[in-house]
Amino acid sequence: MKHLLALFTICCVISTAAFAQSAVSSGTNATTSKPQPLPVLRSSYLNAKSVGVKPFSMPVIPRPPKATDIEVIEPAYAFADFFQEGTLSLVGFSQMNPENYTHPPSRAGRIHFYKMVGGAWVDKTTSLLSNRTGCVTARKAIVADFNGDGKPDVFVACHGYDVAPFPGERPRMLLSQPDGTYKNVQMPFNCFCHGAAAADVGNNGYADLVVTGANPNHGFLAYYQNNHNGTFSLSPGRFPSTTDYKKIFSVDFVNITSNAKFDIFLGGYEHGSIKHDQYPDGVWDQTILLNDGKNYFGRKNPILLPRMPIFGFALDIIASRSRIYLLRVSVDDDNGVGNYKGASVQAIDYPSLKSKVVYKHVGLYKNYHGWIPWMVPLHGRIISPDDAYPLSIPQ
């Protein structure tokens, strides 16, 4: 059991992952000739880590003549059965990168839905979505059931124009409709959002939402309780005051205890990772906050994960009750590697917290990025879903 993904019902989710991978190839249910929709699991973490997707090439968006921007999808994408055909499809939130890359994007990208046809992604957005307006900079897309209809919905954390004074932007949510289409909803709050996670903490069919980043220059960690009607209410007091105004950017619902409750992973710029930090009190070590049994996080002693020199920020996590993997990035221009110019994976035994580096890469990958956004388990290995990153290590 040591290297299995953190799951509430291990066999059930492993079976779901295997079924989902089979469905990508066959598009049919294993027991009937009629395709059956793939289930939506209780958390965005489980929906992301249990898909069983082999590495794929990111869809290339055709560039119109005389266009001054290059439209790319990276890193906000997610998998689910959006077309309700018993097979995984892809949603991607693009951004408009200037041709000369001399400044960050300043206008909104678009939303794309893709089907896998003949081994290639084919854009089928028009059949699901009429309003394709996305975000200026989409950072993380997550899948959960937010409106209680058993179909996958999508929330995307966005942070807007990445230049001071960092104005942020309003995130978006795609809500499934009775006719099979999606409604594009702009959220009522603004933030410099980098992270998001969702979970049906009450096991009632409606997922709550956690968003993290900045608002726009201060720490921003917010818990939004589902109102069961497609809207959310801010639920203060879910996190300890020690999280206030911290540089926390990564978040996921995980489970490393035996109480069948979701815990919270919070990742940020840990102590010693930034030499010239304008907010020296904002550093935050990679931490797991345990659920108190009533879906409040911080009433029990936190689990502080081992620091890692140079690679001082965890972008993603895979966690079980015996091992934790952190996907890390370098975050300082003065560390000898450079800011976002190196990636690593740290394996941590739990509960001993003994750790070791199992993957390290310094420099740019073939897509000219020096960091890996996400990792997933597949057939006993940890990989990147995007084949631009040759990550493949044994669990």
Side-chain angles (χ1 to χ4, degrees), residues 30-333:
T31 58
T32 70
S33 59
K34 182 181 179 180
Q36 297 295 318
L38 299 180
V40 182
L41 303 181
R42 281 186 59 199
S43 73
S44 58
Y45 172 87
L46 295 177
N47 286 315
K49 304 304 182 185
S50 302
V51 293
V53 172
K54 296 179 180 179
F56 70 94
S57 295
M58 192 66 65
V60 176
I61 302 173
R63 185 180 181 186
K66 300 182 180 180
T68 58
D69 289 335
I70 302 171
E71 187 180 3
V72 296
I73 296 174
E74 174 72 16
Y77 60 87
F79 301 95
D81 187 3
F82 298 112
F83 294 90
Q84 295 293 278
E85 296 176 341
T87 184
L88 289 173
S89 45
L90 172 71
V91 64
F93 293 78
S94 73
Q95 65 184 42
M96 302 295 185
N97 286 335
E99 185 174 20
N100 56 13
Y101 291 91
T102 57
H103 59 84
S106 59
R107 64 187 181 93
R110 298 187 298 167
I111 303 168
H112 298 262
F113 282 99
Y114 293 92
K115 284 185 180 182
M116 180 65 73
V117 179
W121 292 115
V122 177
D123 195 322
K124 298 289 185 178
T125 309
T126 55
S127 64
L128 293 186
L129 190 66
S130 57
N131 178 8
R132 302 180 64 173
T133 305
C135 302
V136 173
T137 309
R139 181 61 185 84
K140 183 181 181 182
I142 62 173
V143 170
D145 186 358
F146 293 114
N147 57 8
D149 63 359
K151 300 177 183 178
D153 304 308
V154 184
F155 174 84
V156 60
C158 308
H159 61 68
Y161 194 63
D162 197 7
V163 172
F166 307 102
E169 65 178 318
R170 292 166 64 183
R172 289 184 177 268
M173 181 172 288
L174 304 180
L175 291 175
S176 58
Q177 302 298 298
D179 64 358
T181 64
Y182 280 85
K183 182 180 180 181
N184 186 347
V185 178
Q186 193 171 42
M187 302 299 286
F189 59 88
N190 182 87
C191 71
F192 193 73
C193 299
H194 274 69
D200 178 9
V201 298
N203 199 21
N204 55 19
Y206 294 88
D208 291 351
L209 176 68
V210 175
V211 180
T212 186
N215 192 29
N217 292 323
H218 300 292
F220 181 82
L221 176 63
Y223 189 106
Y224 291 94
Q225 189 168 358
N226 198 313
N227 294 328
H228 299 184
N229 60 2
T231 66
F232 298 81
S233 296
L234 189 64
S235 181
R238 298 277 184 164
F239 305 108
S241 59
T242 52
T243 62
D244 294 345
Y245 305 109
K246 300 299 184 182
K247 287 188 175 296
I248 300 171
F249 296 110
S250 299
V251 59
D252 249 318
F253 283 99
V254 297
N255 181 260
I256 61 170
T257 59
S258 58
N259 61 5
K261 290 285 186 178
F262 291 102
D263 305 309
I264 284 278
F265 164 73
L266 298 176
Y269 292 175
E270 65 192 20
H271 289 79
S273 64
I274 303 178
K275 296 184 178 66
H276 305 292
D277 190 357
Q278 59 179 324
Y279 297 109
D281 295 329
V283 291
W284 176 267
D285 288 340
Q286 323 310 315
T287 303
I288 294 177
L289 300 180
L290 298 178
N291 196 317
D292 70 346
K294 298 181 179 179
N295 300 317
Y296 284 78
F297 309 90
R299 297 176 180 176
K300 294 184 177 181
N301 290 333
I303 299 173
L304 300 180
L305 301 178
R307 300 172 189 170
M308 187 172 171
I310 299 178
F311 299 88
F313 175 31
L315 299 173
D316 198 13
I317 184 172
I318 292 176
S320 75
R321 295 170 188 169
S322 58
R323 174 158 288 196
I324 299 166
Y325 294 90
L326 294 182
L327 176 61
R328 288 174 167 269
V329 64
S330 59
V331 289
D332 196 321
D333 287 324

Side-chain angles (χ1 to χ4, degrees), residues 5 48-50 52-53 318 375-383 395:
L5 189 61
K49 304 304 182 185
S50 302
V53 172
I318 292 176
M375 59 180 177
V376 296
L378 178 68
H379 304 322
R381 302 189 69 83
I382 292 176
I383 65 164
Q395 275 186 276

